[in-house]
Amino acid sequence: MEYISTRGGIAPIPFTEAVMMGLATDGGLLLPTRLPTVDQETVAVWRRLSYQDLAFEVLSLFISDIPPTDLHDLILRSYATFNHPEITPVVRMGDCHILELFHGPTLAFKDVALQFLGNVFEYLLKKNGGRMNILGATSGDTGSAAIYGVRGKERINIFILHPFKRVSPIQELQMTTVIDANVFNLAIRGTFDDGQAIVKSIFNDIVFKNHHQLGAINSINWARIVAQVVYYIYAFLRVSDEVGRSVIDFSVPTGNFGDIFAGFVARRLLPEGSIGQLVLATNENNLLTRFVNQGDYSVGTVVQTSSPSMDIQVASNFERYLYYLYNEDADQTRQAMESFGKSGRLAFSRALQVQVKKDFRSRSVSEGETIETIRSCHAKHGYVLDPHTAVGVCAGLACRQVGVPMVCLSTAHPAKFGAAVQQAIGVQPQMPETLVGLERRPARCEVIDANVAAVRDFIEKHSI
Ligand SMILES: *Cc1c(COP(=O)(O)O)cnc(C)c1O
């Protein structure tokens, strides 16, 4: 399998090069030259596999330049850090199913992809004799998943900027209590936007970037998408086994469009009619819902909600879907993205709007509905949802079709968002073991000024 850019500007490259490239060098996003498919016989064999063995089969369709034994080993190590034997178990909750994606080390779904990506980076750097300094800014969640993805890894240092005292206490502790020698937490005296601007400016300095072999770990890396395709298929197999139906719908709490794009790839991969509806659930930041329902893709201003990992206006993975919407026409995709860069909006023909509505259903969920969903699911089923998951459940229940099972993706453990949960059900969610006593563990964090020079100096001194 080889990879090309959504904007058509690079010659096909193998998977390992695509992983190291991250963003395509022509400014586009990397995609396989064709999306793989499997038949019913293959699916029948897959039903008997563990999560890890299924992951091996699925990833092998996309990765042809890592030897099979090495790939299998990378997968085993990536999911050994999860605290559930099924890795991503599916549980029944009343009229729907919950796909629990939060059993990884930081209790959020990003671990599924970032544990794998960290291991792939280390493997490739070891093999090719390279090194990498990962630099990123976080508003909370991605930073800790990225840190856990590469802690203690050889040939990799990681520098994560977070706004000093502006992330939740649990999020701060999840990052700063990782004291491996290759992990550097930088608390900047400023906002998340300041952090992002600093990171962007440093990446734009090509000489500095090359000298320190700077790498990014954001959601546009293809390895993250492909690792997420696995759990859609795993959930499809479990639920279709259980209810004896072949069509399953999914509801996905969406921010950067990475997770739901993985669902799109999974639907193309399985035999037609296996995955039915993909419900794109948004919070009050409803850009993508307006896109699906009205064909209007225009950037608004970000509002803060109780599901902060979805407080996003421009969805960084959207371009991947656009490429398929435009029938794999890279020129049209490039022109559309260039025009979007200038005007902040995209318009779609009637025919394309019809296609979008075939591909997705969508619903935007208000703050009130989110809290009410947490409350009612707890009251009716004794199950505690985190606010991101609640957005997906509310939209999923609204779009449910008679007789078709609805799987709602649960993207975070409720204890990570205790305040919102307490508001809904009156008590704090139960603390999982990994978070107990976090505040008593040794921590390491550098507080620095929010300017480019201070961060550059720090990287100069500590880069590998
Ligand atoms: C990142 C994140 C999301 C959104 O996922 P995307 O791939 O960006 O659409 C949803 N919920 C939680 C808890 C997250 O951390």
Side-chain angles (χ1 to χ4, degrees), residues 173-249:
L173 287 168
Q174 275 191 311
M175 294 190 279
T176 58
T177 56
V178 181
I179 55 171
D180 298 69
N182 71 330
V183 173
F184 299 93
N185 279 291
L186 299 176
I188 58 163
R189 295 187 190 92
T191 62
F192 169 57
D193 288 337
D194 294 334
Q196 272 204 311
I198 292 169
V199 166
K200 207 167 173 188
S201 149
I202 293 178
F203 269 106
N204 280 337
D205 181 343
I206 300 297
V207 175
F208 187 86
K209 176 173 177 245
N210 289 341
H211 180 67
H212 293 287
Q213 296 285 300
L214 292 188
I217 200 154
N218 44 26
S219 74
I220 49 86
N221 198 300
W222 176 257
R224 288 184 61 174
I225 303 286
V226 84
Q228 292 172 209
V229 171
V230 176
Y231 54 67
Y232 282 92
I233 298 174
Y234 186 75
F236 166 77
L237 297 172
R238 294 295 79 80
V239 175
S240 58
D241 271 349
E242 182 192 324
V243 303
R245 289 269 317 202
S246 57
V247 186
I248 311 286
D249 289 346

Side-chain angles (χ1 to χ4, degrees), residues 89-111:
V90 187
V91 301
R92 186 79 188 240
M93 186 192 74
D95 288 338
C96 62
H97 299 259
I98 303 286
L99 171 55
E100 293 184 343
L101 301 172
F102 55 73
H103 293 282
T106 73
L107 308 174
F109 95 100
K110 290 191 172 68
D111 289 327

Side-chain angles (χ1 to χ4, degrees), residues 6-205:
T6 48
R7 301 194 190 180
I10 65 163
I13 52 173
F15 174 81
T16 58
E17 267 179 59
V19 172
M20 293 316 256
M21 192 178 278
L23 188 70
T25 46
D26 65 355
L29 301 183
L30 294 162
L31 281 172
T33 46
R34 59 172 175 82
L35 289 177
T37 56
V38 296
D39 56 23
Q40 292 292 6
E41 287 71 53
T42 307
V43 173
V45 175
W46 283 2
R47 286 190 188 280
R48 295 193 290 272
L49 302 181
S50 66
Y51 186 92
Q52 289 89 335
D53 289 342
L54 177 69
F56 174 74
E57 295 300 326
V58 173
L59 294 183
S60 295
L61 299 172
F62 295 92
I63 304 174
S64 36
D65 59 333
I66 295 179
T69 48
D70 291 359
L71 181 61
H72 201 256
D73 177 57
L74 285 169
I75 291 167
L76 287 186
R77 284 197 283 125
S78 299
Y79 299 113
T81 56
F82 279 58
N83 66 14
H84 195 287
E86 281 199 72
I87 313 302
T88 64
V90 187
V91 301
R92 186 79 188 240
M93 186 192 74
D95 288 338
C96 62
H97 299 259
I98 303 286
L99 171 55
E100 293 184 343
L101 301 172
F102 55 73
H103 293 282
T106 73
L107 308 174
F109 95 100
K110 290 191 172 68
D111 289 327
V112 179
L114 285 169
Q115 287 290 308
F116 178 66
L117 181 61
N119 282 315
V120 171
F121 275 155
E122 182 186 48
Y123 170 81
L124 293 177
L125 293 170
K126 227 184 245 175
K127 205 166 173 181
N128 304 328
R131 65 196 168 91
M132 180 186 264
N133 288 287
I134 292 169
L135 172 64
T138 186
S139 55
D141 255 5
T142 314
S144 61
I147 287 170
Y148 273 81
V150 302
R151 67 182 298 181
K153 299 252 181 285
E154 288 174 39
R155 300 172 180 271
I156 301 175
N157 280 1
I158 183 165
F159 301 84
I160 295 291
L161 278 54
H162 71 262
F164 185 48
K165 295 295 168 206
R166 291 185 204 223
V167 299
S168 81
I170 283 187
Q171 287 177 325
E172 182 184 323
L173 287 168
Q174 275 191 311
M175 294 190 279
T176 58
T177 56
V178 181
I179 55 171
D180 298 69
N182 71 330
V183 173
F184 299 93
N185 279 291
L186 299 176
I188 58 163
R189 295 187 190 92
T191 62
F192 169 57
D193 288 337
D194 294 334
Q196 272 204 311
I198 292 169
V199 166
K200 207 167 173 188
S201 149
I202 293 178
F203 269 106
N204 280 337
D205 181 343

Side-chain angles (χ1 to χ4, degrees), residues 109-110 141 253-259 309-310 388 411-412:
F109 95 100
K110 290 191 172 68
D141 255 5
T254 296
N256 268 320
F257 208 88
D259 204 0
S309 298
M310 295 156 66
H388 302 79
T411 51

